[in-house]
Amino acid sequence: MPATKVHVTTTINGEPVEFLAEPRQSLLEVLRDVVQLTGSKEGCNDGNCGACTVNMDGRIVDSCLVLGVEAEGADIQTVEGIASADGLHPIQQAFLENAALQCGICTPGFLVSSKALLEKEPNPSEERIRMWLAGNLCRCTGYDKIVKAVMAAAKEMAS
Amino acid sequence: MTTTYEPNKVLSNKEFKVVGTRPVRPDGADKVTGRAQYGADLQLTGLLYGKTLRSPHAHANIKSIDFKKALALEGVKAVVSAKDFPETKDTANYGLGDSPMNYFRGNILADKKVLYKGQAIAAVAASSVHVAEAALSLIDVKYEVLDAVLTAPEGMAKDAPILHDDLFTKEFEKQTKVNSNIAEHFQHKMGDIDEGFAGADVIVERTFDTATVHQGYIEPHNVTALWNDDDRIHVWTSTQGAFTVRAAVSEALAVPVSKIKVTPMEIGGGFGGKINVYEDPAAALLSKKAGHKPVKMVMTRAEVFEGTGPTPGSHMTVKMGATNEGKIVAAQANLAMEAGAYPGSPVGAGAMCVFTAYDIANVTIDGYDVVVNKPKTAAYRAPGAPNAAFAAEQVIDEIAEKLNIDPLELRLQNAAKEGTRRADGPIHPRIGCVEVLEAMKEHHHYQSPLTPAKNGGKVGRGVGIGFWFNIGMQSACNISVNNDGTVNLVEGSTDIGGSRASIAMHAAEVLGISYEDVKPQVADTDSVGYTAITGGSRTTFATGWAAYEAANDVKAQLIDRAATIWGVDPDSVEMEEGVLRSKTDTELNMSFKDLSAQLNDTGGPIVGRGAVDPSGIGGSFCGQIVDVEVDPETGKTDILRFTVVQDAGKAIHPSYVEGQMQGGSVQGIGWALNEEYYYSEDGRMNNPTFLDYRMPTSLDLPMIDTVIVEVANPGHPYGVRGVGEANIVSPQAAVANAIKSAVGARMEKMPMNPAAIMEQLWS
Ligand code: FES
Ligand code: FES
């Protein structure tokens, strides 16, 4: 009864990764349960919370809305790929210093989204940040400190 | 404007070395790299996956359950239902009071009858989550569907369908023989209400209805349970209270607590909703039946909405009277709140808070706890108080309007102070109600003209103030000294918003060492003394206090050890700012770091303990100022400017205090404007997704400005009052008052969505 699995070749956080996915498995499920990258979180599984946000070929996507098999040939970055050997990325540091997380379940999604924004637009306005992050729900912080953290990271990265 | 305005003020009047600073949290690196282990991230060898079968009906008798086809499916390892619970006693108590065993177990796995859509009936363990899901559809349940009651007034109606044939109304603390949906009717009385109203020049009376809303934490409930071959049970779960889970599993399964170990995983939000225990006992039963294999269960978002939480809908009438001079002389409230399927709505807490910000001589409060065919309500941040404040704070606003007095002035004129009696009995100790109101009045926001409209709508300003009493309860903490001059701190409170930091800061302050030299850890139930829930705004207050005690214990032992080394009387030795010294001989001094390196050679390790059940609880007041813009054509409301002012007693970590104030206020905004369980007539929630149950996004909000007021709680060593809850009490009322000021509509229904506002404008 289990459907035949499909062989998929991708790049995840800069490393070549191969996996077998059932056609019905979402990318989020594959990342968490097959590749064992559990940093991406599931809050809704229907594209409405952003906790599962990953960067796929330069675009941010809700990985619960992408099929694992669609990752064939793709270049994927997850929260696990944001820090480097040199340490935390400025966006991660800014989240910590600005107390931009309380429970932290939304944080991986916000970090992936914010990093993508700052790569495109190094100096976004508050309005622009709020618009960009509107697909990521946070129930703990009321967003104030998250928005400020993104602004602080932009400043840090410009300096 | 000549002076530049600086947001996020802390009105501090006592400074410490570590307390009051803003260090990075100890679990921070794990949480920004995806390494932090939340419950759903756990992988164990031989893991099976569980899924719960839930009732499609809001009210029905279960005639039969047939598992035959499900069990025949390849990969299915076990099924459980209420039949698998062992014989046990009649009542359950897992740390939050007695409840009948059949109600407690009924909310875990229903027996004979289902009382809400989404109630758990059975569970399956299988080799994968997909197989488990497929198996659910093969379970054949026969129901006899009954009429449902969905609101408190419906439940209280004379001919209402009855949910429980063993529920008899408690009336004024006496058990009656009346079988009804009213679990309890109570009353608080002070003074003479008729005389009070007779002396009033203006009287305002209004009736309010509020919808059911959910806590909305982003992480769904999850549990992994292993019933080991030696009959010890290990539970890994996302919870606000590991010991609460241990007790609940023990009560449900009639297994002693010593056989159960609960490991609290990182928790992705709770707000009160992760105190109740749902799938954990079923997961343990499945593990046993599947041959002692670990079983993991993770809820879907729809299951979270339909099977957990929420906080109640309510039906409330509030009447208040004041003299022309603005003295409030009488206040009366009739509060009916939905308990959900089993008794225990937060109406009692609502009644404790409804008029508590005011000094009123004549008060009567009636509370009704009503069972309805909705999920059993769970705590949600100051449970019951926001409903009550939505009513009372609007009535006060209308009195201010009628008397033509500034709404903050009227509140200040009647504000509760130390010595004011609450209608439910207690006399206020030192509180910060006046200080919060004064800080609001003097705030740049209140002193500024209305924020201009962004989209050509009408703008208005509203205020509100709310109270939450906070709780104490038991906490334990151990601190052991490392030989490099640092300490390890073990505590039992799950950390939802940075409490590891605030608890560690208590210890650093006592020992005079840096915050970075305290390494806090949240332990499982085998590794730390009993610690009650992370809830009731108690964690920093009580577990922080336990850390304070443990650190003082360490300090006393360090002093003893230094005295031994120096061969002097311990009374002649003191420890200040991380240095031990003789009070009489200046030659004798040694840093904590140097002493720590010598411990193993001078008598062995030093371990301090702290165990508390503190009584000096300090309630917190919190107020909001909000500017809104309402589109008079569509009823859409935007928040233009928002300021929240709260008395923290002492903000141990001001950033996390602000975070609580901002988060609670924004949940209040969502509750005010959008959020609601949208029910079909037969009791199905029509919107169990984040698409249709719409919580605020970053785009819906401005910055949430904060003012931390510090009126020290004399009952805590650093003056801490809890800060987790008071902030959600009055944003709804403040928004309602702002809408009234913008478009003239007095909002008697929540949520105040466009339809509700248009209805009010056209009526
Ligand atoms: S889990 Fe993918 S958007 Fe919520
Ligand atoms: S920090 Fe908890 S959901 Fe964002």
Side-chain angles (χ1 to χ4, degrees):
Chain A
M1 194 207 93
T4 320
K5 291 187 178 174
V6 179
H7 179 266
V8 179
T9 308
T10 59
T11 305
I12 303 180
N13 299 327
E15 299 286 336
V17 175
E18 293 175 49
F19 57 79
L20 292 175
E22 288 177 40
R24 68 174 165 193
Q25 283 183 303
S26 70
L27 176 59
L28 176 63
E29 196 182 337
V30 168
L31 285 172
R32 290 180 52 83
D33 296 348
V34 182
V35 190
Q36 312 293 333
L37 287 172
T38 54
S40 306
K41 303 302 179 194
E42 178 178 319
C44 67
N45 207 25
D46 57 14
N48 285 298
C49 77
C52 64
T53 307
V54 301
N55 193 313
M56 188 167 171
D57 293 328
R59 277 178 54 216
I60 49 169
V61 295
D62 290 328
S63 62
C64 69
L65 294 185
V66 176
L67 290 172
V69 294
E70 290 179 88
E72 174 66 38
D75 187 359
I76 292 164
Q77 195 187 53
T78 70
V79 67
E80 286 92 343
I82 296 182
S84 70
D86 301 335
L88 296 180
H89 185 278
I91 187 72
Q92 293 170 310
Q93 199 57 41
F95 266 59
L96 292 181
E97 280 164 13
N98 289 275
L101 51 141
Q102 287 182 29
C103 79
I105 199 82
C106 68
T107 309
F110 273 98
L111 289 170
V112 171
S113 293
S114 308
K115 181 169 176 271
L117 170 63
L118 296 179
E119 278 163 4
K120 266 195 215 312
E121 301 171 32
N123 188 22
S125 65
E126 180 192 334
E127 191 62 27
R128 180 71 181 137
I129 295 169
R130 288 187 179 279
M131 172 75 96
W132 184 272
L133 296 178
N136 291 82
L137 289 178
C138 174
R139 189 59 158 174
C140 296
T141 64
Y143 305 101
D144 180 298
K145 291 185 189 303
I146 293 178
V147 174
K148 284 184 180 139
V150 178
M151 300 203 283
K155 223 169 160 186
E156 176 65 30
M157 287 163 75
S159 67
Chain B
M1 205 94 357
T2 46
T3 53
T4 45
Y5 170 69
E6 287 280 341
N8 306 120
K9 283 205 180 7
V10 182
L11 306 178
S12 184
N13 41 37
K14 187 153 186 225
E15 301 297 329
F16 298 87
K17 281 251 146 38
V18 177
V19 164
T21 61
R22 303 175 186 243
V24 166
R25 60 197 291 167
D27 51 333
D30 284 344
K31 285 188 174 153
V32 296
T33 52
R35 275 196 284 271
Q37 280 259 310
Y38 293 81
D41 304 336
L42 187 73
Q43 279 295 336
L44 297 173
T45 184
L47 188 64
L48 300 176
Y49 298 83
K51 268 286 157 200
T52 297
L53 179 72
R54 296 176 181 277
S55 170
H57 305 295
H59 197 187
N61 288 318
I62 301 173
K63 295 311 233 182
S64 65
I65 309 180
D66 184 347
F67 290 108
K68 239 183 273 117
K69 282 195 199 134
L71 280 167
L73 184 68
E74 195 185 327
V76 171
K77 307 292 181 190
V79 297
V80 294
S81 68
K83 303 267 169 302
D84 292 283
F85 286 130
E87 280 287 313
T88 191
K89 54 199 173 108
D90 292 338
T91 56
N93 185 340
Y94 56 104
L96 304 163
D98 276 339
S99 60
M101 185 61 75
N102 60 332
Y103 292 177
F104 167 65
R105 281 181 166 177
N107 206 39
I108 297 166
L109 287 170
D111 193 15
K112 300 194 180 93
K113 201 174 184 199
V114 283
L115 298 152
Y116 57 94
K117 156 99 167 60
Q119 185 168 7
I121 297 170
V124 179
S127 52
S128 84
V129 72
H130 301 291
V131 174
E133 270 165 6
L136 294 186
S137 60
L138 298 175
I139 300 173
D140 186 15
V141 186
K142 298 260 187 294
Y143 298 95
E144 176 196 2
V145 179
L146 306 168
D147 287 339
V149 290
L150 295 176
T151 63
E154 272 176 53
M156 293 165 85
K158 279 254 158 337
D159 52 352
I162 297 289
L163 271 73
H164 301 280
D165 59 14
D166 59 352
L167 181 63
F168 301 94
T169 306
K170 210 163 135 196
E171 177 91 13
F172 304 133
E173 289 175 18
K174 284 210 186 66
Q175 194 56 63
T176 70
K177 296 208 167 89
V178 183
N179 178 214
S180 85
N181 294 323
I182 305 172
E184 184 173 8
H185 169 211
F186 63 84
Q187 190 176 64
H188 301 309
K189 235 175 134 112
M190 194 163 69
D192 184 324
I193 196 73
D194 295 329
E195 226 169 79
F197 281 118
D201 298 311
V202 285
I203 294 176
V204 173
E205 177 174 354
R206 283 192 181 267
T207 296
F208 301 88
D209 287 280
T210 74
T212 301
V213 299
H214 198 273
Q215 293 80 349
Y217 30 80
I218 305 299
E219 178 204 39
H221 294 260
N222 58 73
V223 58
T224 303
L226 170 65
W227 191 310
N228 216 322
D229 297 83
D230 59 6
D231 282 337
R232 287 179 307 128
I233 298 172
H234 194 166
V235 176
W236 297 259
T237 188
S238 172
T239 178
Q240 289 179 240
F243 287 88
T244 310
V245 174
R246 185 178 74 164
V249 172
S250 162
E251 293 285 82
L253 304 182
V255 171
V257 291
S258 55
K259 295 234 176 210
I260 303 165
K261 169 173 164 176
V262 178
T263 299
M265 305 299 286
E266 295 300 336
I267 171 171
F271 316 110
K274 284 182 185 158
I275 296 171
N276 287 14
V277 171
Y278 297 99
E279 293 181 315
D280 307 41
L285 283 174
L286 283 171
S287 172
K288 184 182 187 187
K289 280 184 109 177
H292 306 285
K293 298 277 192 313
V295 174
K296 173 153 124 181
M297 304 183 78
V298 181
M299 287 193 196
T300 63
R301 178 54 50 184
E303 287 183 284
V304 173
F305 275 122
E306 296 183 337
T308 76
T311 205
S314 51
H315 178 75
M316 305 168 294
T317 300
V318 166
K319 179 178 174 188
M320 295 175 91
T323 64
N324 281 330
E325 293 68 46
K327 178 151 187 51
I328 302 172
V329 288
Q332 188 168 16
N334 226 302
L335 310 173
M337 293 194 196
E338 299 161 7
Y342 300 98
S345 79
V347 66
M352 286 163 76
C353 296
V354 58
F355 300 127
T356 301
Y358 306 106
D359 183 357
I360 309 171
N362 307 294
V363 180
T364 302
I365 303 164
D366 282 90
Y368 297 87
D369 182 28
V370 188
V371 293
V372 298
N373 293 113
K374 290 181 179 178
K376 161 91 179 77
T377 53
Y380 178 20
R381 226 172 187 151
N387 308 52
F390 179 68
E393 286 295 289
Q394 285 203 75
V395 169
I396 295 246
D397 200 66
E398 196 165 340
I399 289 178
E401 214 179 294
K402 285 212 153 72
L403 293 175
N404 201 17
I405 300 180
D406 174 272
L408 282 180
E409 200 49 60
L410 179 70
R411 285 170 171 87
L412 264 169
Q413 220 173 305
N414 293 281
K417 300 176 191 66
E418 182 170 1
T420 302
R421 213 186 111 188
R422 278 165 39 182
D424 58 313
I427 311 243
H428 279 300
R430 181 74 175 98
I431 48 169
C433 185
V434 169
E435 286 82 352
V436 166
L437 288 166
E438 277 171 351
M440 290 169 73
K441 214 177 125 192
E442 285 155 21
H443 195 274
H444 181 270
H445 183 170
Y446 204 64
Q447 297 295 333
S448 302
L450 273 178
T451 313
K454 277 190 180 162
N455 303 305
K458 301 222 161 147
V459 293
R461 175 170 296 162
V463 297
I465 187 163
F467 169 75
W468 184 249
F469 43 84
N470 297 334
I471 62 171
M473 298 181 76
Q474 312 79 5
S475 284
C477 174
N478 318 318
I479 297 178
S480 48
V481 179
N482 297 314
N483 63 9
D484 62 353
T486 64
V487 299
N488 293 336
L489 184 158
V490 178
E491 44 107 348
S493 291
T494 43
D495 179 355
I496 315 190
S499 58
R500 282 181 182 91
S502 64
I503 290 162
M505 289 166 83
H506 279 77
E509 188 72 44
V510 171
L511 294 171
I513 59 178
S514 76
Y515 160 80
E516 287 73 20
D517 288 342
V518 181
K519 289 190 288 170
Q521 186 198 137
V522 179
D524 62 63
T525 54
D526 280 5
S527 310
V528 67
Y530 183 88
T531 299
I533 53 169
T534 292
S537 301
R538 65 174 290 280
T539 304
T540 297
F541 169 75
T543 309
W545 195 334
Y548 172 89
E549 294 291 338
N552 271 308
D553 188 10
V554 166
K555 187 172 166 180
Q557 294 179 54
L558 290 167
I559 287 174
D560 269 353
R561 189 65 61 89
T564 307
I565 294 171
W566 292 329
V568 300
D569 180 4
D571 287 343
S572 71
V573 178
E574 62 183 9
M575 181 177 171
E576 292 287 336
E577 295 185 15
V579 179
L580 295 118
R581 58 171 65 87
S582 159
K583 293 181 204 165
T584 51
D585 182 349
T586 49
E587 297 281 287
L588 294 181
N589 64 73
M590 178 164 32
S591 69
F592 166 59
K593 204 175 174 107
D594 288 342
L595 177 56
S596 71
Q598 298 176 35
L599 291 180
N600 285 349
D601 302 326
T602 56
I606 284 182
V607 179
R609 60 173 280 275
V612 300
D613 185 1
S615 56
I617 299 149
S620 181
F621 287 86
C622 184
Q624 286 86 4
I625 310 165
V626 52
D627 291 2
V628 299
E629 173 175 355
V630 184
D631 181 338
E633 309 276 294
T634 64
K636 179 171 186 294
T637 302
D638 284 310
I639 306 290
L640 298 176
R641 185 171 179 183
F642 196 100
T643 305
V644 49
V645 181
Q646 185 169 357
D647 175 17
K650 180 72 205 170
I652 300 289
H653 191 305
S655 298
Y656 288 121
V657 172
E658 290 161 5
Q660 291 297 312
M661 294 162 70
Q662 293 164 332
S665 291
V666 166
Q667 285 182 315
I669 291 171
W671 191 338
L673 294 177
N674 278 319
E675 295 177 33
E676 106 181 86
Y677 275 47
Y678 193 75
Y679 273 100
S680 69
E681 252 165 51
D682 59 354
R684 279 172 299 112
M685 183 190 186
N686 283 324
N687 57 335
T689 68
F690 279 148
L691 180 64
D692 299 316
Y693 182 95
R694 199 171 168 293
M695 309 197 305
T697 71
S698 52
L699 195 55
D700 300 321
L701 298 160
M703 291 295 183
I704 306 296
D705 196 1
T706 58
V707 179
I708 299 175
V709 172
E710 294 189 343
V711 176
N713 168 20
H716 181 276
Y718 296 127
V720 169
R721 299 171 190 276
V723 293
E725 293 166 287
N727 38 59
I728 202 174
V729 177
S730 57
Q732 299 82 335
V735 169
N737 293 336
I739 291 172
K740 170 69 175 52
S741 122
V743 290
R746 180 53 74 192
M747 299 308 297
E748 292 172 321
K749 279 199 186 112
M750 193 155 62
M752 298 171 277
N753 55 24
I757 290 176
M758 293 321 287
E759 193 183 309
Q760 204 68 5
L761 279 179
W762 288 337
S763 69

